[in-house]
Amino acid sequence: MSGDGWQQTGEQFLQAVFYGVSFLADVLRLIKELRCAKCVISSRDLLFSVLAFPVSTFVSISFWILYTYNRELVYPRSLDGVIPSWLNHTMHTAVLPLAFLEILATPHRYPAKKKGLFLLGCASFLYVSWVLWIYFVTGEWVYPLFASFSPAGLGAFFVISLIIVVCFYNFGEFLNRMIW
C-alpha cells in the first residue's frame, strides 16, 4: 500500500470509529440502556471533540488549499486513475460539512481544556510517528509535499500544523458552546 493509501485508511478509520460510536450511543438510548449509553456518549464526545472535529476540519481545509495551490503536492494526477473522484471528495470534502452538521445536530461535552489539548497532542504525536514510520518502511511520503522539506522544515511544518489543529479544537469547542 502506498503512503497515501495508509493515510487515507487512517482517516477513514477515524471517521468510521466516531460514527460507529455515535450510532451505538443512539441505539443504547433507544433501548433504555442508560448506564451503558452514558459511557458510550462520553466516548463519542471525547472522540468528536479531540479528534473528529479538529482533524476533519484540518484535513479538509489544508488539503483543498494545497490542492488549489499545486495538486501534485498532496494528490498527484497519477492517483486519478486509482482513486475515483467521489472517493477523494468523501475523504477530503464531505468530512468538513459532516463535522459541522454534527455540531449543529448533537451537543458534545468537551473535556477539561488541559485534558483535551493533551489528548490532541498525543494523537498528533502518534500521527507524526505514523507518517515517519510509513516513510521509513516504504521510502514514500504520505504526501509528496513532505519530500520538499528539510528535516527542520518538516518539523516546523508539523509544529505549525499542530498549532492550527489546536485552533480548530478551540473553534469546535466555541461553536459547541455557542450553539448548545
Side-chain angles (χ1 to χ4, degrees):
M1 185 177 287
S2 73
D4 194 46
W6 282 106
Q7 169 60 26
Q8 293 164 358
T9 302
E11 175 73 22
Q12 291 167 340
F13 180 75
L14 168 62
Q15 297 299 321
V17 168
F18 169 70
Y19 288 110
V21 169
S22 294
F23 177 75
L24 181 59
D26 291 342
V27 168
L28 289 172
R29 280 192 303 199
L30 285 174
I31 63 172
K32 306 293 186 213
E33 287 290 334
L34 297 180
R35 201 169 115 222
C36 291
K38 285 182 182 182
C39 179
V40 174
I41 289 168
S42 294
S43 298
R44 178 205 64 197
D45 290 346
L46 190 65
L47 275 169
F48 181 77
S49 64
V50 172
L51 292 176
F53 184 82
V55 170
S56 296
T57 306
F58 178 79
V59 164
S60 188
I61 291 173
S62 63
F63 177 85
W64 287 110
I65 286 171
L66 290 168
Y67 185 96
T68 302
Y69 172 72
N70 179 356
R71 77 170 282 179
E72 296 297 317
L73 295 173
V74 290
Y75 194 80
R77 291 189 195 284
S78 60
L79 292 177
D80 288 346
V82 179
I83 299 172
S85 177
W86 66 266
L87 185 55
N88 179 30
H89 285 290
T90 299
M91 294 180 297
H92 298 113
T93 308
V95 294
L96 185 61
L98 288 174
F100 280 96
L101 283 172
E102 178 68 21
I103 279 188
L104 290 171
T106 309
H108 293 279
R109 282 208 168 120
Y110 273 67
K113 184 73 80 178
K114 282 185 182 180
K115 180 181 178 182
L117 293 177
F118 174 76
L119 292 172
L120 181 59
C122 288
S124 298
F125 174 78
L126 289 173
Y127 171 75
V128 170
S129 298
W130 179 251
V131 166
L132 295 174
W133 180 79
I134 290 170
Y135 175 72
F136 289 122
V137 169
T138 67
E140 295 179 48
W141 285 108
V142 171
Y143 291 109
L145 167 71
F146 296 159
S148 64
F149 291 117
S150 67
L154 189 62
F157 176 82
F158 286 136
V159 168
I160 291 167
S161 295
L162 176 61
I163 292 167
I164 294 168
V165 170
V166 166
C167 291
F168 289 143
Y169 171 90
N170 288 323
F171 181 61
E173 184 178 36
F174 169 79
L175 282 177
N176 187 71
R177 191 173 53 245
M178 290 294 109
I179 294 167
W180 298 102

